[in-house]
Amino acid sequence: MRFARPAIIPILFLLIAAAPPQDPEELKQQALSEDFGVSKAALKALVAKGASARPMVREVVKELLARDKAKVNENAALLADAAKYRELDQKLAAQRKIALDNIAVLERDKTVKEAAENHRLLQELWKENAAPLRNSIFEAMRRRPELLTIWRQTPAPAGENPFPPAEEVKLIPLAEKALGMTLAAANGLAAANERNVPADLPKRNLWFYRMCRQVEAYNAGFENLLDKEEFLNVRLTNAYREVLGILPLEIDARLIQAARRHSKEMSDLKYFDHRSPNPSELDFERRYLNAGYKDLGSENIAHGIPGGEMAFKVWFESPGHHVNMLRPGNNSIGVGRWKVYWTANFGNGPRLMLSSESQRGAVAVKGEILKPDAPHVEKEGRQGLPGLPAELFDK
């Protein structure tokens, strides 16, 4: 059996965050990571080791300061062509409108093919957007004072000072010009939430990019609750929402259980429908409530699908399912696969990501916890879908 005992389990108990390693060499490698969050946690753990780790701390901090300075200079040089990025912002906004207008009248064949082409164009435009460059500058400047404090508090050979105050002061106007705002204003976007959306387009794109990365980081904590194909399906759905300018969905453990239970029941009872023959699980509203989720949304199901990418493609090609993946009012998602049966549940409750830890701790999954099914092996994979080139959907 794949069920644990019946329970009401707080979501925080299901999420096991990976603590930084304790080996100094491993901490060093993580502290030098390009991921600012990973780097910060590892550096903090390295500093906590005290005097024995100081030479390594100094080496790491020196490299981070030099690397961040080079990154600020490099990205500022790229962003110097303000007219280019202003034009890209306008093109992106216009293409998003074209895509959303098409989705509003979506039907099979022609409009779905247009949606696929719009998806491709939006991916290219979003990759060229200034937001990632500006975010990198902001993150480098935000952590710089702390890194400089650590650097100046650790013993140094006489005369060694590659980061003199006069040079550091020059970085600030360079960074602010590239950001298009003061560091103080950028700091107001640091903790992106749904209440501090800027009106200015470049600032809004930076806010939106940061919000997407926050959802991505939050969702990474749920990876152990999903199999790799379920997680891939979530990633593809959120990547599509992101290029359209729609905030991504946060993973919710309650919706994972509602979805997985429905997929398993469809597989076990050999039916394929949103409505269950079991009265207590009759519709997705009851299944949500049975798992502890009270805010409704929408549901997608699929059958005969071996993997998460194919499930995304199938739902992309079906107008109703396509729209379900993109509803702006939905904030949460849970995907559950059982053999070749798939369910995606979308919820419109408040974002737990933006709640306090105590508020998240009070949220619980109701009922039995169904673990992921064993991976399905397809003897002969499907050969794709008309109008949807495989290259549009990068893994």
Side-chain angles (χ1 to χ4, degrees):
M1 293 291 290
R2 295 180 178 274
F3 288 97
R5 62 181 177 82
I8 297 178
I9 303 179
I11 285 178
L12 287 179
F13 288 175
L14 295 173
L15 305 180
I16 303 173
Q22 293 306 305
D23 178 69
E25 282 298 331
E26 289 184 48
L27 284 172
K28 176 183 175 182
Q29 292 308 311
Q30 287 203 3
L32 292 171
S33 168
E34 293 287 344
D35 184 308
F36 286 96
V38 171
S39 175
K40 181 178 181 178
L43 181 59
K44 182 179 179 180
L46 200 56
V47 169
K49 288 190 171 292
S52 63
R54 280 178 188 165
M56 185 176 287
V57 168
R58 188 170 181 80
E59 179 186 349
V60 167
V61 169
K62 182 178 181 180
E63 183 169 341
L64 289 176
L65 284 167
R67 194 171 73 190
D68 284 356
K69 183 178 180 180
K71 192 173 295 181
V72 169
N73 282 302
E74 178 186 353
N75 289 355
L78 291 171
L79 290 165
D81 190 348
K84 170 189 171 182
Y85 286 101
R86 191 160 49 246
E87 182 182 357
L88 279 171
D89 282 341
Q90 292 167 353
K91 282 184 177 179
L92 176 64
Q95 187 61 46
R96 280 174 169 169
K97 184 178 186 307
I98 291 169
L100 292 170
D101 286 348
N102 179 66
I103 290 166
V105 295
L106 201 63
E107 296 177 357
R108 289 188 181 273
D109 299 326
K110 183 177 184 293
T111 49
V112 168
K113 290 178 182 178
E114 289 175 4
E117 177 60 13
N118 289 333
H119 185 190
R120 184 187 68 79
L121 293 171
L122 284 169
Q123 284 178 312
E124 292 177 359
L125 287 168
W126 188 232
K127 285 177 184 176
E128 295 298 317
N129 188 264
L133 298 176
R134 291 191 173 117
N135 187 61
S136 180
I137 290 173
F138 170 69
E139 289 289 1
M141 294 301 294
R142 183 164 69 150
R143 74 174 176 180
R144 200 160 188 84
E146 183 180 356
L147 292 178
L148 286 168
T149 298
I150 296 172
W151 170 260
R152 289 163 184 159
Q153 288 176 347
T154 53
E160 183 186 358
N161 186 16
F163 312 109
E167 290 298 315
E168 289 300 314
V169 169
K170 293 178 184 177
L171 268 185
I172 296 173
L174 179 69
E176 290 185 335
K177 183 179 179 181
L179 287 169
M181 66 190 93
T182 65
L183 290 173
N187 205 49
L189 304 178
N193 60 62
E194 294 168 299
R195 295 178 295 278
N196 65 345
V197 187
D200 177 71
L201 185 57
K203 291 179 182 178
R204 187 163 72 247
N205 281 341
L206 177 58
W207 168 89
F208 180 77
Y209 181 84
R210 290 187 61 78
M211 189 75 175
C212 291
R213 302 290 71 78
Q214 284 180 227
V215 176
E216 190 174 64
Y218 179 78
N219 284 351
F222 289 80
E223 193 168 358
N224 65 312
L225 302 185
L226 296 161
D227 73 25
K228 67 176 185 177
E229 294 299 326
E230 292 168 337
F231 195 69
L232 173 61
N233 184 265
V234 173
R235 284 178 44 228
L236 290 170
T237 301
N238 277 344
Y240 186 34
R241 289 173 68 99
E242 181 174 341
V243 298
L244 284 165
I246 304 169
L247 285 173
L249 303 163
E250 63 176 44
I251 296 173
D252 192 291
R254 297 165 296 179
L255 294 179
I256 293 172
Q257 287 303 308
R260 192 176 287 149
R261 291 169 190 173
H262 187 53
S263 292
K264 184 177 187 301
E265 185 185 80
M266 288 192 292
S267 176
D268 290 349
L269 300 183
K270 308 300 181 192
Y271 77 94
F272 179 61
D273 202 305
H274 290 283
R275 292 179 71 82
S276 166
N278 178 355
S280 66
E281 301 282 327
L282 182 62
D283 49 33
F284 75 84
E285 178 179 1
R286 294 182 212 196
R287 294 192 287 273
Y288 281 25
L289 291 171
N290 290 343
Y293 194 93
K294 66 179 181 179
D295 300 285
L296 294 184
S298 49
E299 179 179 80
N300 283 352
I301 58 174
H303 170 243
I305 307 300
E309 183 177 13
M310 184 59 73
F312 173 76
K313 290 180 180 180
V314 166
W315 289 330
F316 189 105
E317 195 183 44
S318 168
H321 297 92
H322 193 126
V323 170
N324 277 347
M325 292 193 293
L326 302 177
R327 293 185 189 278
N330 287 339
N331 294 321
S332 308
I333 186 172
V335 174
R337 176 193 64 82
W338 204 267
K339 303 192 186 311
V340 294
Y341 288 83
W342 284 78
T343 304
N345 285 148
F346 307 94
N348 59 19
R351 288 185 181 273
L352 292 179
M353 180 188 81
L354 301 177
S355 303
S356 67
E357 187 170 322
S358 62
Q359 288 172 319
R360 290 197 296 272
V363 175
V365 179
K366 292 175 64 177
E368 297 173 304
I369 302 301
L370 183 61
K371 296 179 181 179
D373 186 27
H376 175 73
V377 178
E378 186 77 7
K379 292 183 180 178
E380 293 185 12
R382 294 178 62 174
Q383 299 300 310
L385 296 168
L388 293 174
E391 59 268 20
L392 293 186
F393 305 97
D394 296 330
K395 287 189 178 180

